[in-house]
Amino acid sequence: MQPLLDQHGRIATDLRVSLTDRCNLRCTYCMPPEGLDWLPSEDQLTDDEVVRLIGVAVRQLGVDEVRFTGGEPLVRRGLVDIVRRVRALDPGVEMSITTNALGLARTAHALAEAGLSRANVSLDTVRSETFHQITRRDRFTDVVEGLAAAEAAGLGPVKVNAVLLRGVNDDQAPELLTWCLERGYHLRFIEQMPLDAQHGWDRDAMVTADEILASLSAAFRLSPAAEPRGSAPAELFLVDGGPATVGVIASVTRPFCGDCDRVRLTADGQVRNCLFARSESDLRVAMRAGADDEELAERWRVAMWGKLPGHGIDDPSFLQPDRPMSAIGG
Ligand code: SAM
Ligand code: SF4
């Protein structure tokens, strides 16, 4: 087995699969209110094609962790079936989902039964009116129910991912942490990245990891967690001596590209070796032209080899990728 090695010595074992670019929320830092020009359906991989490519990754390229994302992965009709088929391919692969949790209350049990291991839920506030302001939809209660259903279905430890926005919810970090601690959810804050469809990201407006930690430290005693971070993007802190933790994913101010073990597959079958990559490798066209699994694996290896050492957000020459986060799979 030849793994997904790049020329800087990193090996990708964690595959993020975007199942759709569509979404039922409109988070202001991700999409405009009217949504986007969605992928034409003929360009979207079929369920069979998704399962085949994941099979190539798992069997021929050494991928041992698969995360379904989007867009909103729960709006993909074949999701439960895809999970079941990937589980059948490999009983050992770790399979999780990153979701806004709308509708998770209905599907959590079926997903767990099909073989999903864990759920990561995105939730930036525990105030209903702030939720409406950020997501442009009045659906806070559905998320709360989805989270509870995920925990009850055994998709834990349930992680909560939050983005703080200046002047909107940047004063709510301790409140969100308290809410998650009470329910046993593992909270992680993510710095806002220049990946919004509107290209409106402004470094000066971004709430930094230092600010997040200062705000939390006013309410909690934080100390560095002992466990080694490895390739995990979140820096973990014990809360009030532990065992509970809180994480900060400082992609912009404390980049961790040197330890990255991730690779991405978009809903239209493009390999992206980095969130910020400016080029992609088209496995859909190759697959539909008749490429066999070994040829697909080799194209994938070539795509990975050229991964850049870092995202370069601080370089004067940095250019935001054409694809927004919702079409890459965060
Ligand atoms: N719809 C699902 C969800 O929201 O969890 C999956 C896709 S969403 C693009 C994945 C994650 O990316 C979410 O946690 C979201 O908050 C985060 N995200 C979206 N745009 C972002 C940005 N510009 N900077 C940082 N995180 C972002
Ligand atoms: Fe949808 Fe997730 Fe983007 Fe929010 S962050 S608009 S839930 S894809």
Side-chain angles (χ1 to χ4, degrees):
M1 199 272 303
Q2 272 179 276
L4 289 171
L5 174 70
D6 72 47
Q7 57 195 308
H8 305 284
R10 296 165 296 189
I11 294 177
T13 53
D14 178 349
L15 172 62
R16 310 279 162 110
V17 181
S18 172
L19 291 177
T20 177
D21 59 337
R22 291 169 188 256
C23 190
N24 39 16
L25 294 183
R26 295 284 183 274
C27 304
T28 52
Y29 53 82
C30 184
M31 291 195 190
E34 65 278 13
L36 297 165
D37 289 333
W38 312 121
L39 285 173
S41 54
E42 63 274 18
D43 287 359
Q44 188 166 290
L45 297 182
T46 63
D47 293 359
D48 286 350
E49 289 171 332
V50 170
V51 174
R52 178 170 170 204
L53 289 179
I54 294 175
V56 168
V58 168
R59 289 180 169 155
Q60 278 157 275
L61 299 168
V63 162
D64 58 14
E65 194 172 342
V66 176
R67 175 166 314 168
F68 297 108
T69 176
E72 177 43 49
L74 292 178
V75 307
R76 171 105 185 198
R77 246 184 245 126
L79 173 65
V80 173
D81 197 46
I82 291 171
V83 169
R84 183 171 294 113
R85 292 170 64 188
V86 173
R87 176 56 69 223
L89 276 175
D90 184 340
V93 74
E94 167 88 12
M95 241 190 305
S96 59
I97 191 170
T98 295
T99 172
N100 63 26
L102 297 191
L104 189 58
R106 276 193 310 280
T107 47
H109 186 73
L111 285 167
E113 183 265 336
L116 194 75
S117 324
R118 283 186 302 99
N120 302 301
V121 171
S122 304
L123 178 64
D124 307 321
T125 173
V126 287
R127 294 186 202 169
S128 183
E129 56 291 4
T130 313
F131 183 91
H132 194 164
Q133 185 187 359
I134 294 176
T135 66
R136 303 190 179 100
R137 300 286 186 273
D138 190 11
R139 305 290 300 272
F140 174 62
T141 312
D142 301 67
V143 181
V144 175
E145 288 171 5
L147 274 161
E151 184 78 34
L155 295 175
V158 172
K159 291 186 185 165
V160 170
N161 295 331
V163 176
L164 293 181
L165 305 173
R166 198 173 296 290
V168 179
N169 63 341
D170 56 338
D171 57 344
Q172 296 181 26
E175 175 182 335
L176 188 52
L177 179 55
T178 302
W179 192 89
C180 288
L181 291 173
E182 284 166 2
R183 289 160 182 79
Y185 306 147
H186 295 198
L187 176 63
R188 302 176 310 177
F189 291 94
I190 309 176
E191 280 182 344
Q192 193 185 352
M193 293 179 277
L195 287 170
D196 56 312
Q198 310 88 305
H199 290 232
W201 182 83
D202 171 4
R203 187 174 182 129
D204 295 332
M206 180 190 76
V207 180
T208 64
D210 284 350
E211 290 176 273
I212 296 166
L213 291 169
S215 158
L216 290 173
S217 298
F220 300 94
R221 187 167 49 83
L222 301 186
S223 50
E227 61 190 81
R229 179 175 174 180
S231 59
E235 206 176 329
L236 287 183
F237 298 87
L238 296 175
V239 181
D240 292 335
T245 57
V246 63
V248 179
I249 302 180
S251 321
V252 178
T253 60
R254 302 178 195 173
F256 36 83
C257 305
D259 293 318
C260 182
D261 65 353
R262 287 168 285 285
V263 53
R264 291 178 160 81
L265 180 66
T266 65
D268 56 343
Q270 313 297 307
V271 169
R272 294 182 62 88
N273 59 25
C274 171
L275 262 179
F276 295 92
R278 298 201 49 80
S279 63
E280 304 180 331
S281 180
D282 192 340
L283 294 187
R284 180 188 84 244
V285 164
M287 179 165 51
R288 291 184 183 171
D292 64 16
D293 284 2
E294 189 39 56
E295 184 181 337
L296 293 172
E298 193 46 35
R299 282 175 181 267
W300 206 323
R301 288 185 196 104
V302 170
M304 247 9 242
W305 182 252
K307 177 166 170 148
L308 294 177
H311 56 46
I313 292 176
D314 287 329
D315 297 349
S317 60
F318 174 77
L319 282 175
Q320 184 171 334
D322 295 332
R323 263 191 212 256
M325 181 77 134
S326 59
I328 298 171

